[in-house]
Amino acid sequence: MKKSLPSYQSTHPYWKQYQAFFPKEVRLDDDTAPEEEWWELNGVHLHIDRLPAPESPIKILFIHGAGGNGRLLAPYARMLQRHGYEVVSPDLPPYGLSYAMSGTRINYELWIELLVSVIEREFEKDGKPIIVLGSSIGGMLAYHTSARSKHVKGLIATTFVDTSNQEMRDQLAPNRLVSRAGKRMMDLFPGLLDDVRISVKQVSRMQLITNNKDLTRLIMADRQAAATRIPLELLRTFFNKKPEVSPEQFNQCPVLLVHPELDPMTPIRFSQSFFDRLVVDKECVILEGAGHFPIEQPGLKQLEAAVLRFLQQIQ
């Protein structure tokens, strides 16, 4: 890794404060923290966290959502590593430590391209099957990515946020001024507005990211997470994204939906409507007592059990 590039370990210790909200067995410290890698592609310096497991029969690509980054998800990744699975968690720019080089447009299409490229790179290393696991809006991002990559053998999501649905856009945004009038302005004047950066907290219901007020406050103050400022181009292209492959035509791989029961940010009915249209082998597990960012029991244990069962069926 280039010495000049930032590191969670040396320059961004904020992530350590998240550990207190997780069970002791999956908390991370300096000795168990992910290995950090950098990869330059598509005009991006992409930061990647890796929790290695050389004997792992498969690899898991863990995709964060709109208020997070790869390191925020590391305790969940640690949970899987403890069972012998290797997990790779990139930061999607401008979140985490990843950043775009001059002249690179940050939009939703770039995110999909980056994830497909990471899958190709990982598969070329050792030919191990890839499972994509998406948290929050990362669930739908995992779906878009799976539709493009022949190497994906399983898809796990905590939610399916289909923003081609107006009701879904209304749910995600803080008000209809953003989800309707704001979207219309972005669509009409992309040349004027695409480069404008705005806090993700201003265009989402980020205060609902967890059901624990202390953890929510921490995430919303983190400049690598929910305090990130995003270009409106990313928001515009996210709102306008339609599935390239409809759920009725999706045949890439089996699907597991592990949806939190008490999720005010993306209630189950939105994910259920998309999930029900899928025709592949699929399972839905409701995480009892868990919020959008699932840290509560028994939901967290149910998440672990469901994911492990799914992985064992695939490998």
Side-chain angles (χ1 to χ4, degrees):
M1 186 173 67
K2 296 179 180 179
K3 292 182 179 179
S4 60
L5 293 170
S7 162
Y8 282 113
Q9 291 301 97
S10 61
T11 60
H12 292 81
Y14 206 92
W15 62 273
K16 294 181 180 179
Q17 299 178 56
Y18 295 125
Q19 306 312 308
F21 297 93
F22 290 91
K24 289 184 179 180
E25 61 269 21
V26 297
R27 292 177 187 172
L28 294 141
D29 55 28
D30 288 332
D31 294 327
T32 57
E35 297 177 357
E36 296 186 74
E37 304 171 7
W38 286 90
W39 189 27
E40 187 176 315
L41 78 159
N42 293 9
V44 171
H45 285 292
L46 189 70
H47 177 271
I48 300 172
D49 267 353
R50 183 185 302 272
L51 283 168
E55 302 305 315
S56 176
I58 59 179
K59 287 185 192 175
I60 299 159
L61 176 66
F62 207 165
I63 304 171
H64 67 77
N69 53 52
R71 185 58 61 98
L72 179 59
L73 302 176
Y76 301 106
R78 173 64 174 157
M79 181 186 296
L80 297 175
Q81 186 194 39
R82 291 176 67 245
H83 290 281
Y85 294 106
E86 182 162 336
V87 185
V88 178
S89 303
D91 291 338
L92 296 169
Y95 292 95
L97 303 184
S98 294
Y99 61 95
M101 290 175 267
S102 178
T104 300
R105 313 295 304 186
I106 300 179
N107 52 45
Y108 199 65
E109 179 63 24
L110 174 66
W111 278 13
I112 298 171
E113 290 174 355
L114 289 171
L115 291 169
V116 171
S117 295
V118 170
I119 289 171
E120 293 290 331
R121 181 189 189 220
E122 291 299 323
F123 186 80
E124 287 175 3
K125 287 180 179 179
D126 49 31
K128 292 181 179 180
I130 306 292
I131 310 299
V132 290
L133 196 172
S135 172
S136 184
I137 71 162
M140 199 67 199
L141 188 55
Y143 176 86
H144 295 313
T145 302
S146 300
R148 289 197 194 177
S149 175
K150 63 181 183 293
H151 300 307
V152 174
K153 301 304 179 185
L155 165 60
I156 306 170
T158 64
T159 68
F160 283 122
V161 177
D162 182 5
T163 52
S164 65
N165 182 315
Q166 180 62 61
E167 189 182 1
M168 184 75 257
R169 296 196 295 268
D170 290 340
Q171 171 63 31
L172 290 174
N175 52 59
R176 294 194 176 188
L177 183 64
V178 172
S179 65
R180 299 196 178 195
K183 180 184 181 303
R184 180 167 174 76
M185 291 294 289
M186 288 187 289
D187 289 340
L188 286 173
F189 306 107
L192 183 64
L193 298 177
D194 272 357
D195 288 334
V196 175
R197 290 200 174 226
I198 190 169
S199 170
V200 69
K201 294 181 288 188
Q202 295 177 267
V203 291
S204 68
R205 300 187 186 188
M206 199 55 62
Q207 74 276 9
L208 304 178
I209 193 170
T210 87
N211 289 351
N212 181 299
K213 63 181 181 180
D214 294 324
L215 178 55
T216 296
R217 189 180 303 115
L218 197 60
I219 294 173
M220 290 182 70
D222 188 347
R223 291 180 180 274
Q224 273 71 52
T228 297
R229 295 177 67 83
I230 64 169
L232 287 181
E233 181 173 358
L234 177 58
L235 182 64
R236 175 178 63 81
T237 52
F238 167 64
F239 272 169
N240 285 328
K241 181 62 179 178
K242 296 180 180 179
E244 296 167 20
V245 178
S246 71
E248 292 86 358
Q249 300 298 319
F250 182 80
N251 61 4
Q252 175 65 32
C253 61
V255 174
L256 171 64
L257 176 63
V258 279
H259 202 291
E261 177 187 29
L262 307 177
D263 181 355
M265 194 177 201
T266 53
I268 180 64
R269 70 179 186 276
F270 292 102
S271 296
Q272 192 76 51
S273 63
F274 187 87
F275 177 83
D276 287 346
R277 295 166 58 198
L278 291 165
V279 295
V280 292
D281 290 341
K282 61 185 180 180
E283 180 184 7
C284 177
V285 175
I286 304 300
L287 309 179
E288 296 175 48
H292 183 77
F293 190 83
I295 58 171
E296 299 86 357
Q297 300 292 7
L300 188 58
K301 281 293 184 185
Q302 293 168 344
L303 170 66
E304 180 179 16
V307 171
L308 290 175
R309 185 170 62 249
F310 183 77
L311 296 177
Q312 288 161 6
Q313 291 170 351
I314 290 176
Q315 64 189 54

